[in-house]
Amino acid sequence: MGTVLSYFCHLCGHGNKEEKERCLRANDRTFNLSFRYANNAIKTSKYNIFTFLPLNLFEQFKRLANAYFLFLLILQLIPQISSLSWITTGFALIVVLSITAVKDAIDDINRHKCDRQVNNRKVDVLMDGQLKNEKWMNVQVGDIVKLGNNEFVTADLLLLSSSEPFNLVYVDTAELDGETNLKVKQALTVTGELGDNIEALAAFNGEVRCEPPNNRLDKFKGTLTVNGERYALDNDKVLLRGCTLRNTEWCFGLVIFGGPDTKLMQNSGKSMFKRTSIDHLMNILVLCIFGFLASMCSILTIGNAIWETNEGSVFTMFLPREPGIDAPLASFLIFWSYVIVLNTVIPSSLYVSVELIRLGNSFFINWDRKMYYLKKDTPAQARTTTLNEELGQIKYIFSDKTGTLTQNIMTFNKCSINGKAYGDLYDFSGQRVEITERTERVDFSWNNLADPKFNFHDHSLVEMVRGGNPETQEFFRLLSLCHTVMPEEKKEGELSYQAQSPDEGALVNAARNFGFVFRSRTPETITVVEMGKQVIYELLAILDFNNMRKRMSVIVRSPEGKLTLYCKGADTVIFERLHPSCNKLMEVTTDHLNEYAGDGLRTLVLAYKDLNENYMIDWKQRHHEASVAMEGREEKLDELYEEIEKDMMLLGATAVEDKLQDGVPQTIEQLTKADIKIWVLTGDKQETAENIGYSCNMLREEMKDVFVVSANTAEGVKEELQNARRKMCPEAAEEPSVIKSRVGLFWLKKTETVQDEKVDGDYGLIINGHSLAFALEKNLRLELLRTACMCQTVICCRVTPLQKAQVVQLVKKYKQAVTLAIGDGANDVSMIKAAHIGVGISGQEGMQAVLSSDFSFAQFRYLQRLLLVHGRWSYIRMYKFLGYFFYKNFTFTLVQFWYAFFCGFSAKTVYDEWFITFYNMVYTALPVLGMCLFDQDVNDRWSLQHPELYAPGQKNQYFNKKAFVRYLIHGCYCSLIIFFIPWASMNDAVRNDGKDIVSHPSFAFLLQTCLLAVVHTQLCVDTYYWTAVNHFFVLLSTIGYFAISVTMYSNGMFYVFPSSFPLIGAARNTLNQPIVWLTIFLTFLLCILPVVAFRFIFIQLRPTINDKVRYKMRTEELPAPAPRLPLRRRSTRSGYAFSHSQGYGDLVTSRKFLIKRSTKRAPLFTQTDSSIFQNQPQHYRTIAEEPEEPQSP
Amino acid sequence: MPLCAIKTGCDNVRKGRRLCLKKFKIKFTICSFPPSLSLSFQLDYTEAETCNKCFEMRKNVSNANETCICTVNFRIDKPFEGDVFFYYGLRNFHQNLRRYMDSRDDGQTVGRKKNLKDPSSYCEPFLKDPSGRPIAPCGAVANSIFNDSFTLRYHYSNGIGEVPLLREGLTWYTDKYIKFRNPTTDNLTLAQVFEGTAPPPYWQKPVYKLDPSNPMNNGFINDDFIVWMREAAFPNFKKLYGILFRNDNPFTKGLPAGNYSIDISYNFPVQYFRGRKEVVLTTVTWFGGQNHFLPIAYLVTSSLILLTAVVLTVVWWKFGKDGKNMKE
């Protein structure tokens, strides 16, 4: 499925009229067909065999450059104007068009293949009263399909019935929105009753009326009419294409939207064509060159008019005017003739070469072994080959957290039980040993229910458990009882847990390995295998987690009849509720907690309390009353919970590691040094996000302040933002300074840029999702941007995918900076698409992020290599290429301009026609490609050593309009030299046998040779990094030039086509003259030496950072990479974060559900908390500021 | 340059020059001006002496067919030693106009019979004569051929004698033997081959009568024609007319000093385009003809390079030594 999604970009949105409402009837194809709804076939390809040529050519000529060359070609076919044979343009145009056409064809063939693969998937369709295995593309709206477990959902379906109780269906929406936790969908009872009764289903004739196709994944509105009864349909009853069925044997669904109408396709519909800023700049420059060309031609036309009146009119004796063309008309035609002659200032091969260079650089990214992740066999991949140089200009990075910075794996790492810490290893001298992959693992083979993937290194804990230490056993018993995890045991002994939060899963899994295996649960019981012995606990109550309570408890009765309350929660919360006898233990545990927090672990404190049977009966009674109370139910329940959760006995603490990916802090440090700002946009809770911020070095202790914006009103948000700004930069003006300017083609695009403001010291900003919603409103967003840009680190938590995209767009719009978004889940797709460059982390969650990304790799740490090495190189190569390319064509073309003053402005080319044809495509093509594919000013290791090398790219210092003018002047100078030195030296010259040498062909050949000598040497001067390929290309081109010239000026060629190769003998009769070589050498000296001298002076007087590093590189050895110290933070922070999210508990414990408690698989809790708290703002901070203790690193 | 020649005592011109060049590069004070040892003599005869009347006469187109012969006298003070080349020069004649240059048919002049009878349309407007016969050689270039002829005379002490000039071997080998060919004759005379074609309108005689005495110099392979057809890149140019035939005294060593005159058959009209005509006598060295520009340019360039080198060294010494400037 995955591979297909990226190609779902082009929609066949061919609806002839706007659909207002969708109306369909189950099992009634004739009725449904009358609406002409799209069937389930998708088509993402653009062409077929017959339409390819015309359509593709049409597309290509829509490009300005191609159209321009076509226009030139047509001009050249007019004999009165044609100053050059049409071959010169035609050759280049044909090469360019065919390269692009081949590329387009390959792309389209791939799309065809993908379409075919998806369209030919099979699914069971109910037809004529029986199930038929049909291809996906033949499925029609209104068909009833049957899906099996782990099957992709064929189309957007209305869920009719399922194998599971209550018509529940579990789906995995990773492909759709990136969330890996299972979601529950539930069918209407009326359809659920159909079950898998084929006859009943075949007779089902419900009519659905619903909204027209749209791209809102979270909303669905419609009605189902069955037997005259109308039922409301919402999103819970719809299975979307792109989901996968999980834990459900089968289900039946009614197709509502097919193929292009599905929400998935509607969503991926708008694929924006990303262009780099250099592309835009290039367009502007090409436009400038057009202007330049037009003015040159105008000057020459005026020159021609003057010449024609003064000289031409008296020369008519030898060269009569063409009939019907008088002097003014002739001058007008000369304008166009010169357009043809001078068109080479805009080389047709420019765009193709740019594409080739980008393609080459993309391959280097693909082939980079240092970006290849062995464990998952994932190489880096440049999925878009047109954005490379943008990688060298990134100013802002927007990163997802889960799966991007972290591995999204929670591991039970350490614990403190009854004042004793476990989990660390010490050597004989008592030093802590760093745990690596090679460290010996604890053997859990004694426990046949253990999870083989579980890692633990401290043997003492196992010994304690097996030795029967009561506290330790109680500790793990608590972990196996106090949670809301769902077990799944497909085969005997093969347990897997469905946890709403990965933390909980990790804890339960740890308990499982240590011999307290949570096996199964019913609403009233929990079955645990304790050290091999099955024990069934009676579950009396679950005091569920919420954000206010920050703890959860269960009350259970053991088989022996003992009543116990088990509680786990945040340290601050639990410590307040402990029995005074635990004070001493509490101090020790606090020390441990601080240590864990210092390591960036998420901690939970565990406590228990034995309960009195009578008290319990009373409490239970009151609890029941409270839970059915009509008014103030929450408050009453809360009070009850408070009452029972006190005087608890401390058991210990757990430390779970939200494992960061390897090298994340180092990468972030590097990127920060490169002056790249990193914003984390995560759907996680604030605490989690903050913790990760600290552990990956984005938020630091030495930061002056970390602002938290979590107000719940627009005014509140504004105030918080302003306060933060005033604190950071008290002297700043209240109004942001916005620079308005116009850029783009014809300066049509208006831009507003918010200026950066200087702030001393580092600040951090954390902003909450609901505050962000206000802050992104029109009137506040500049305030947000200003404040956020002053901060070193910005973390947005609880953001929706849409908000992610909005934040990216905000920065894009008002900062005019190049942005990069990196993420792994489908919820990051919007921001990946919105940013200039989207990077997908592959191999974690679904493939959707990768598929909509421009670059993908397996680990976050490769980002530094992608940007600091490949991005920088690509940028440098691109600027070198453009600079050199413009230079070489200016030089080439301006020589013709100078010659015009000598040939009566008659549009005579100074070069041989063949030379003009081959100059860009043959003689100079390879060396410049060689340079721009391989050049590197500083090699990769030094690039990483000096991230500050990245800064010039961000500011676009190398290639801008100023640089362009510089190239123009340089080209102008060289063309002057190349024309006038040979002119002066040849003007009156003869060969050393007295024969002619100033004839047009020999002069042309001399100029061509000078030109190539100069531009090739210039290239060599520009090349920093010589590979064998560069040598080969330069040599090949030089030798090739002489070989081709000699061949073209040879007798044979002349005999075959006398009029095409009239320059016969020019090479032979010229190259044997010393004067020619002396002229070439002089020209060469005068063109190259000033460049060398200027560069030398600049390196001496104003060395750039590149020069400095290059000097260092020459003179010093590369310092060995600094030994990586284990990152330890000095701070002591409680890393408590219970990433609980609302899951299916709500649905399962809904009232309707409670009524039907008779079914055998009825989950879960007997009562639940209202979810109101979770919807409330988090206007508090869990992170406890504790006095800093000096701690040895 | 004479200084150099004296210093090295070179009677062998070539050797002397080479030595001179070498010295020149090392110590550029010795030779105070360019070491071009080739001599050159230039004479504008457009309106000179008796040619004045021819100039006036050619102003009137109706006199185009009348011959006009005039004489110009000049004196050579120093003998021209070695091979002496005789050029005619034109000023302000644009052989490099696009339409002019294109107006030729290489297929015809390489002897293609098809092109002979049906020349390429590029030759317009000199493609066909008014009666519809194809013009051979067609085109504006051939039509405008320079048609003055010269007789160089040396004034002996006892009279005037003709200076023998070689009128062949004036062209590139590739032109004479490859680019220009007469149509194959198959036992036909050249005149028969060209039957049915018209000469270019400005020509006084058809192409097969350019040099009837010498079949290797007649028709398209006539040296004068080939030389003209090699279009000059600039409006001022000179083209080779003849080479001194050094067989007999006193010309075995070149042109002796003394008085000379040139009899000119003055045909080519230049007054229309404000052009000038001239004759040039020159000797050549290994380097080619007289050339003042290159030596001076090299001189200037090398001194600039030296100066820059000094400046750059100073800059490096002050700023860049031991990587001073490379420190942060």
Side-chain angles (χ1 to χ4, degrees), chain A residues 828-1001:
Chain A
D828 306 318
V829 168
S830 59
M831 84 172 170
I832 283 176
K833 281 190 175 169
H836 290 101
I837 293 197
V839 178
I841 300 278
S842 48
Q844 302 277 335
E845 295 185 5
M847 286 293 281
Q848 241 207 318
V850 171
L851 289 170
S852 44
S853 67
D854 305 307
F855 297 89
S856 73
F857 41 71
Q859 292 277 300
F860 182 79
R861 65 168 186 271
Y862 297 148
L863 190 62
Q864 60 172 323
R865 195 169 169 83
L866 183 72
L867 299 188
L868 300 185
V869 178
H870 287 286
R872 214 176 62 81
W873 282 348
S874 294
Y875 175 71
I876 284 180
R877 286 166 188 166
M878 190 50 70
Y879 101 79
K880 275 199 171 174
F881 171 77
L882 290 177
Y884 178 76
F885 214 76
F886 285 129
Y887 155 77
K888 130 181 123 97
N889 281 289
F890 286 142
T891 312
F892 173 59
T893 310
L894 286 174
V895 172
Q896 309 244 42
F897 181 76
W898 309 127
Y899 187 60
F901 292 88
F902 293 85
C903 69
F905 306 96
S906 64
K908 179 66 198 168
T909 57
V910 71
Y911 308 111
D912 174 17
E913 278 180 9
W914 289 106
F915 181 77
I916 296 175
T917 315
F918 289 160
Y919 178 71
N920 272 319
M921 304 304 274
V922 179
Y923 297 142
T924 58
L926 284 183
V928 66
L929 273 187
M931 171 176 86
C932 299
L933 281 178
F934 301 113
D935 205 46
Q936 32 182 281
D937 55 342
V938 173
N939 68 22
D940 53 343
R941 290 176 65 194
W942 281 92
S943 298
L944 289 173
Q945 195 71 32
H946 291 272
E948 61 271 23
L949 282 173
Y950 193 79
Q954 287 173 331
K955 297 173 198 141
N956 203 3
Q957 270 176 358
Y958 292 136
F959 197 83
N960 45 36
K961 285 171 196 150
K962 222 164 97 191
F964 174 75
V965 172
R966 216 165 45 230
Y967 293 119
L968 182 68
I969 291 169
H970 185 195
C972 207
Y973 166 77
C974 282
S975 68
L976 275 173
I977 297 288
I978 288 174
F979 180 75
F980 282 101
I981 295 288
W983 171 76
S985 84
M986 285 295 153
N987 195 12
D988 207 23
V990 291
R991 264 161 51 131
N992 57 12
D993 56 3
K995 291 172 189 172
D996 198 350
I997 200 171
V998 217
S999 63
H1000 186 271

Side-chain angles (χ1 to χ4, degrees), chain A residues 750-791:
Chain A
K750 278 189 215 163
T751 61
E752 295 173 33
T753 315
V754 176
Q755 290 301 98
D756 276 330
E757 280 155 296
K758 266 225 136 353
V759 178
D760 345 308
D762 293 345
Y763 292 89
L765 176 74
I766 296 166
I767 183 162
N768 232 307
H770 43 258
S771 309
L772 193 62
F774 293 113
L776 285 172
E777 296 278 314
K778 217 172 177 138
N779 49 348
L780 273 183
R781 57 185 182 198
L782 284 186
E783 191 64 51
L784 167 73
L785 190 68
R786 246 183 117 188
T787 314
C789 287
M790 287 178 179
C791 298

Side-chain angles (χ1 to χ4, degrees), chain B residues 67-251:
Chain B
T67 52
C68 180
I69 292 174
C70 61
T71 308
V72 286
N73 296 293
F74 62 95
R75 182 178 166 73
I76 294 178
D77 292 328
K78 228 182 300 156
F80 279 50
E81 287 172 346
D83 285 334
V84 180
F85 297 85
F86 186 101
Y87 298 89
Y88 63 86
L90 277 176
R91 300 204 152 260
N92 203 28
F93 186 90
H94 281 83
Q95 260 200 321
N96 58 0
L97 298 181
R98 174 169 56 93
R99 279 176 48 236
Y100 179 88
M101 290 185 89
D102 289 348
S103 183
R104 59 190 286 167
D105 184 359
D106 287 323
Q108 192 187 45
T109 50
V110 80
R112 298 247 163 115
K113 277 200 175 139
K114 187 181 141 288
N115 295 53
L116 182 66
K117 295 283 150 67
D118 183 19
S120 150
S121 61
Y122 278 108
C123 285
E124 286 286 3
F126 300 101
L127 182 68
K128 299 211 166 141
D129 75 347
S131 61
R133 285 182 303 164
I135 293 173
C138 71
V141 187
N143 181 51
S144 60
I145 192 168
F146 184 78
N147 52 4
D148 284 5
S149 55
F150 307 94
T151 314
L152 180 62
R153 293 179 198 281
Y154 177 56
H155 295 236
Y156 296 98
S157 47
N158 52 357
I160 299 175
E162 194 178 327
V163 178
L165 287 181
L166 281 172
R167 298 276 283 111
E168 282 178 64
L170 311 176
T171 62
W172 290 1
Y173 176 88
T174 46
D175 283 355
K176 178 95 179 175
Y177 296 100
I178 293 149
K179 193 170 179 184
F180 290 89
R181 302 273 71 199
N182 278 323
T184 40
T185 47
D186 305 328
N187 303 326
L188 296 174
T189 62
L190 208 50
Q192 284 168 317
V193 173
F194 280 98
E195 205 175 290
T197 65
Y202 292 178
W203 286 27
Q204 281 133 343
K205 49 190 175 186
V207 66
Y208 50 87
K209 283 189 188 158
L210 286 176
D211 188 359
S213 61
N214 182 358
M216 280 310 291
N217 193 26
N218 202 7
F220 291 149
I221 53 172
N222 177 270
D223 272 21
D224 287 336
F225 175 65
I226 295 173
V227 164
W228 180 257
M229 292 300 277
R230 182 150 284 285
E231 298 136 329
F234 298 104
N236 303 333
F237 56 88
K238 63 183 183 208
K239 284 181 183 287
L240 192 54
Y241 184 76
I243 305 168
L244 177 67
F245 187 55
R246 295 200 297 172
N247 216 17
D248 301 316
N249 264 329
F251 305 113

Side-chain angles (χ1 to χ4, degrees), chain B residues 254-266:
Chain B
L255 280 184
N259 289 323
Y260 291 84
S261 63
I262 307 175
D263 292 347
I264 301 157
S265 168
Y266 198 109

Side-chain angles (χ1 to χ4, degrees), chain A residues 79-84 307-311 314-323 333-334 337 899 901-909 946 948 979-1003 1051 1054-1059 1061-1066 1068-1070 1073-1075 1077-1082 1085-1086 1089 1092-1093 1096-1097 1099-1101 1103-1105 1107-1109 1111-1112 1114, chain B residues 14 21 25 40 42 61 85 87 91-107 109-110 112 115 122 124-126 140-141 143-145 169-175 177-181 202 227 230-240 243 268-274 278 282-291 293-294 297-298 301 304-305 308 311-313 315-317 319-328:
Chain A
Q80 278 81 14
I81 293 175
S82 173
S83 45
L84 266 177
W307 190 88
E308 280 291 334
T309 34
N310 290 345
E311 311 268 333
V314 292
F315 200 70
T316 46
M317 176 183 180
F318 297 107
L319 186 67
R321 290 194 198 286
E322 282 174 80
L333 292 182
I334 280 291
S337 300
Y899 187 60
F901 292 88
F902 293 85
C903 69
F905 306 96
S906 64
K908 179 66 198 168
T909 57
H946 291 272
E948 61 271 23
F979 180 75
F980 282 101
I981 295 288
W983 171 76
S985 84
M986 285 295 153
N987 195 12
D988 207 23
V990 291
R991 264 161 51 131
N992 57 12
D993 56 3
K995 291 172 189 172
D996 198 350
I997 200 171
V998 217
S999 63
H1000 186 271
S1002 21
F1003 186 69
N1051 311 349
F1054 179 73
Y1055 279 137
V1056 182
F1057 304 107
S1059 50
F1061 299 98
L1063 269 73
I1064 173 176
R1068 275 174 280 171
N1069 288 293
T1070 319
Q1073 294 301 308
I1075 186 170
W1077 291 105
L1078 285 170
T1079 309
I1080 294 173
F1081 185 65
L1082 182 67
L1085 278 185
L1086 285 174
L1089 285 181
V1092 176
F1096 182 80
I1097 290 260
I1099 288 181
Q1100 296 308 315
L1101 298 183
T1104 61
I1105 177 74
D1107 296 328
K1108 286 179 184 165
V1109 174
Y1111 178 80
K1112 238 175 155 177
R1114 274 199 309 275
Chain B
R14 292 183 169 206
L21 250 185
K25 288 227 94 176
S40 184
Q42 199 167 332
V61 188
F85 297 85
Y87 298 89
R91 300 204 152 260
N92 203 28
F93 186 90
H94 281 83
Q95 260 200 321
N96 58 0
L97 298 181
R98 174 169 56 93
R99 279 176 48 236
Y100 179 88
M101 290 185 89
D102 289 348
S103 183
R104 59 190 286 167
D105 184 359
D106 287 323
T109 50
V110 80
R112 298 247 163 115
N115 295 53
Y122 278 108
E124 286 286 3
F126 300 101
V141 187
N143 181 51
S144 60
I145 192 168
L170 311 176
T171 62
W172 290 1
Y173 176 88
T174 46
D175 283 355
Y177 296 100
I178 293 149
K179 193 170 179 184
F180 290 89
R181 302 273 71 199
Y202 292 178
V227 164
R230 182 150 284 285
E231 298 136 329
F234 298 104
N236 303 333
F237 56 88
K238 63 183 183 208
K239 284 181 183 287
L240 192 54
I243 305 168
F268 197 74
V270 290
Q271 59 278 20
Y272 301 114
F273 56 91
R274 292 190 287 276
E278 59 195 22
T282 178
T283 59
V284 297
T285 62
W286 64 275
F287 186 73
Q290 201 177 41
N291 192 326
F293 172 76
L294 263 189
Y298 264 102
T301 310
L304 279 179
I305 290 173
T308 322
V311 172
L312 291 190
T313 314
V315 167
W316 173 78
W317 191 269
F319 297 98
K321 204 171 165 245
D322 305 324
K324 271 183 280 192
N325 54 344
M326 296 297 171
K327 306 262 155 53
E328 298 308 315

